[in-house]
């Protein structure tokens, strides 16, 4: 699915931003991928590779704002 490929490219960009310690851009990508409109694309998220899904979860754990104050 083309949408899943776009999500994977954005997740790759997110992981690269984290790797380069560019947390401002990483947070912007994370917020975009976590937005309600994108999060509701359940069939698209199912098409994302397991490797990309794991990369997104790892980045999400790093960038989550729960209890981060």
């Amino acid at each position: 699915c083309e949408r899943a490929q776009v999500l994977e490219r954005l997740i790759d960009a997110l992981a690269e931003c984290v790797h380069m310690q560019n947390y401002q851009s990483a947070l912007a990508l994370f917020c975009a991928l976590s937005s309600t409109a994108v999060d509701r694309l359940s069939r698209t998220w199912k098409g994302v590779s397991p490797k990309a899904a794991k990369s997104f979860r790892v980045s999400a754990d790093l960038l989550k704002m729960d209890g981060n104050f």
Side-chain angles (χ1 to χ4, degrees):
C1 174
E2 187 176 334
R3 284 183 180 179
Q5 290 175 343
V6 170
L7 281 180
E8 287 184 15
R9 290 192 66 176
L10 290 172
I11 292 168
D12 288 344
L14 168 62
E16 187 62 27
C17 286
V18 170
H19 175 74
M20 294 176 16
Q21 298 180 359
N22 184 349
Y23 298 113
Q24 190 72 26
S25 296
L27 185 59
L29 284 166
F30 173 71
C31 288
L33 289 169
S34 300
S35 69
T36 304
V38 176
D39 192 47
R40 289 188 315 199
L41 300 172
S42 59
R43 287 184 287 179
T44 302
W45 279 102
K46 287 179 185 173
V48 172
S49 71
K51 179 182 174 187
K54 181 180 179 187
S55 176
F56 182 71
R57 285 192 304 274
V58 168
S59 297
D61 287 342
L62 177 67
L63 297 170
K64 67 183 175 184
M65 300 205 192
D66 299 340
N68 192 17
F69 51 88

